Amino acid sequence: MADRRNNRGLSLTVSPENRPYDVEEARLWLRDHRIEEVECVAPDFGGVPRGKAMPCSKFAEMKAIYMPVSIFFQTITGMYVEFEDQGVWAEHDLRLIPDLSTMRAVPWALEPSVQVIHDLVDKKGVAVPFAPREVLRRVLRLYAERGWKPVVAPELEFYLTKRNTDPDYPLEPPIGRTGRQGMGNQAYSISAVDEYDSVIEHIYDYAEAQGLEIDTVIQEAGAGQIEMNLIHGDPMDLADQVFMFKRTIREAALRHDCYATFMAKPMEGQPGSAMHIHQSVVDAEGRNIFTDEKGDPTPEFYQFIGGQQKFLAATGCVFAPYVNSYRRLTPDMAAPVNLEWGEDNRTAGLRVPISGPEARRVETRVVGADANPYLALAVCLACGYLGIRDKVEARPMLEGNAYSGQHELPHGLLEAVSLFEETPELREVLGPEFCDLYARVKRAEYNEYMRVISPWEREYLLLTV
């Protein structure tokens, strides 16, 4: 069945070049390609695809499709947060509006199928302000009002692991083609990447079928840890790609009897997984506003950095959204602990890579792989925007090891939520509806976590205290 699933799915390719962009064109395209099923999906706060699958004939009718608002009132465990709004308990419907530009194949499906990302509106047709795509769109509008457009490039890290059906047992690296488990401290090793060549080839095939563009594949420092870099472009398009890439990578791993995980810190003693985000901003003529006519950095470049230094720590509950996320943000484990900036300095939270003046950019390295890509991009760009708007000065560039500096990021989820709630500038640019609801969900998740007794507590407290 696995071969049938792969062969049937991979025969269908949906790339930007052959994708339909209006309703009538979509109907003809779906008919001509004999599509049998359409998955209508939208990301929730966790970046989990929520939605409905239906026969292609029903989707082609383009009638209203609905989903309850409660998908945004659920924690990652599926529990519901308490809220005073009676409409929440009534679970009123939101309408899904297809963004046909996001149509892509489902290459692991049994029959020819496509997936389409949808936006969400209320019964009056107004965009839902706390939907992740709308939060990012709100930030992008702020740039557009100044005649600017951000350009981003995410780098996504993840681990391949053995199947783990009992959560009480730690994760282990999978068996590679040599018959041995993966080892740590093999960063940039081509041989280490080749250990999982069959999984990676499957990812390439699935990505090609969906029109997802991979720039490079790298073996990271962790055992079975891979990094995939995406080609730079429009923030919404790249967020859509990361959203779909996560599912793609998981599906490819399952075809080879292993898991792919985007947990920020899945294995003790191994580095965490990040989603580094490269950012620049261009004007209406496509010129990088971080570089002046002489090729030197502009005030906006330093102000963008200054804004991230001033506000990014207060968005910790977004770029590090779970209790596990803060296990990654520890010194000397290949993750930043502060928001110092430096040129070609990977210990800094904000790195300026080597590039020509036209490609001058800021790489934000604090974001975890577990973050919702829409929300992560939204907060990074929002903080940079606030820096330019308010003319925030960047601190002097760091020379040396930023790991030895002061820890200025939140130490845990509860602290991060408090900082988020106490920063009015974020409510202004991200929207109060989103900020209030998101903070409520994160507090509920923390409370759920506190009900669990960990192995550490049984190990060191059971017979000692």
Side-chain angles (χ1 to χ4, degrees):
M1 180 177 290
D3 289 339
R4 175 174 177 256
R5 179 177 286 237
N6 296 340
N7 292 337
R8 289 297 299 273
L10 291 173
S11 66
L12 172 68
T13 298
V14 188
S15 64
E17 292 74 26
N18 72 344
R19 178 185 303 151
Y21 285 91
D22 62 55
V23 172
E24 288 305 318
E25 188 180 349
R27 289 193 179 106
L28 293 173
W29 190 97
L30 293 168
R31 183 198 66 190
D32 293 345
H33 288 78
R34 298 181 179 179
I35 302 301
E36 297 196 12
E37 186 175 75
V38 179
E39 297 178 353
C40 306
V41 299
D44 68 3
F45 283 164
V48 177
R50 305 286 182 183
K52 298 181 178 182
M54 63 189 64
C56 181
S57 57
K58 180 176 179 180
F59 178 81
E61 294 173 359
M62 294 295 171
K63 292 182 179 179
I65 306 169
Y66 296 97
M67 190 163 55
V69 69
S70 56
I71 65 165
F72 294 111
F73 291 80
Q74 281 184 293
T75 66
I76 198 66
T77 68
M79 302 299 290
Y80 290 91
V81 299
E82 295 183 5
F83 211 76
E84 294 77 13
D85 186 347
Q86 293 303 310
V88 175
W89 302 115
E91 291 201 270
H92 60 257
D93 278 338
L94 303 176
R95 183 173 179 178
L96 282 76
I97 306 297
D99 181 348
L100 294 175
S101 71
T102 68
M103 182 182 289
R104 288 181 166 90
V106 184
W108 49 86
L110 283 168
E111 304 295 345
S113 304
V114 295
Q115 54 190 323
V116 181
I117 300 175
H118 286 58
D119 288 309
L120 297 163
V121 299
D122 63 19
K123 61 185 65 178
K124 297 180 181 178
V126 178
V128 176
F130 43 78
R133 286 186 107 223
E134 184 60 24
V135 175
L136 175 56
R137 193 174 284 119
R138 178 187 177 107
V139 175
L140 297 179
R141 283 197 293 264
L142 295 174
Y143 282 88
E145 288 169 2
R146 292 173 174 248
W148 298 338
K149 182 178 180 179
V151 178
V152 303
E155 300 175 348
L156 190 61
E157 298 173 351
F158 60 94
Y159 274 87
L160 297 175
T161 76
K162 281 186 176 181
R163 284 182 177 265
N164 180 273
T165 57
D166 188 338
D168 280 340
Y169 286 90
L171 294 172
E172 295 183 49
I175 303 297
R177 66 176 185 168
T178 60
R180 296 185 175 186
Q181 283 186 317
M183 297 174 57
N185 299 319
Q186 298 293 318
Y188 292 92
S189 167
I190 297 298
S191 296
V193 171
D194 288 344
E195 278 290 286
Y196 311 110
D197 183 63
S198 57
V199 180
I200 292 171
E201 286 301 319
H202 232 112
I203 293 172
Y204 272 124
D205 288 343
Y206 283 172
E208 183 179 0
Q210 296 175 86
L212 301 172
E213 296 184 274
I214 298 173
D215 188 17
T216 55
V217 177
I218 300 166
Q219 168 67 37
E220 268 295 342
Q225 188 184 30
I226 307 295
E227 176 183 298
M228 288 196 168
N229 301 335
L230 306 185
I231 296 173
H232 66 273
D234 173 75
M236 187 65 75
D237 180 49
L238 267 298
D240 287 339
Q241 288 194 50
V242 173
F243 174 61
M244 291 186 168
F245 242 121
K246 284 188 172 184
R247 186 182 179 198
T248 297
I249 292 168
R250 289 191 187 99
E251 288 288 341
L254 288 172
R255 297 293 172 267
H256 296 273
D257 199 35
C258 63
Y259 289 166
T261 179
F262 298 90
M263 281 179 64
K265 187 76 167 181
M267 287 193 277
E268 183 177 340
Q270 298 290 332
S273 291
M275 181 168 58
H276 300 152
I277 300 174
H278 294 246
Q279 304 136 93
S280 59
V281 181
V282 298
D283 62 18
E285 284 73 42
R287 293 188 293 262
N288 190 339
I289 72 166
F290 291 166
T291 299
D292 65 18
E293 294 180 355
K294 297 179 181 179
D296 297 325
T298 61
E300 287 82 5
F301 170 70
Y302 294 111
Q303 291 162 1
F304 188 93
I305 292 173
Q308 293 205 344
Q309 288 182 322
K310 181 175 180 179
F311 296 107
L312 203 53
T315 70
C317 62
V318 178
F319 69 72
Y322 305 106
V323 288
N324 174 264
S325 307
Y326 298 86
R327 302 186 190 281
R328 168 181 162 260
L329 299 172
T330 56
D332 302 315
M333 286 299 289
V337 295
N338 53 46
L339 292 165
E340 300 294 349
W341 77 277
E343 294 181 351
D344 194 27
N345 187 339
R346 285 182 168 82
T347 69
L350 304 172
R351 171 177 173 255
V352 178
I354 297 173
S355 70
E358 71 286 348
R360 182 171 280 113
R361 61 194 186 276
V362 177
E363 178 192 5
T364 302
R365 296 175 60 83
V366 298
V367 180
D370 54 349
N372 179 312
Y374 302 95
L375 301 180
L377 286 171
V379 298
C380 288
L381 294 172
C383 294
Y385 169 82
L386 286 169
I388 296 174
R389 188 197 70 177
D390 299 344
K391 295 181 169 51
V392 178
E393 292 186 11
R395 302 197 292 257
M397 183 179 71
L398 176 78
E399 300 280 358
N401 183 8
Y403 294 152
S404 61
Q406 181 179 357
H407 195 302
E408 62 178 306
L409 301 177
H411 289 83
L413 183 59
L414 209 57
E415 177 187 342
V417 173
S418 294
L419 286 171
F420 186 67
E421 292 173 320
E422 295 165 2
T423 309
E425 293 91 343
L426 294 176
R427 291 178 62 82
E428 178 187 355
V429 295
L430 301 175
E433 300 91 348
F434 163 71
C435 291
D436 289 341
L437 180 54
Y438 186 83
R440 185 72 63 97
V441 169
K442 290 296 134 183
R443 286 190 180 277
E445 287 178 350
Y446 180 82
N447 290 336
E448 290 177 27
Y449 168 77
M450 290 301 292
R451 298 189 183 103
V452 178
I453 309 303
S454 70
W456 186 94
E457 291 162 275
R458 291 190 290 271
E459 175 73 19
Y460 294 104
L461 304 181
L462 181 65
L463 301 177
T464 306
V465 296

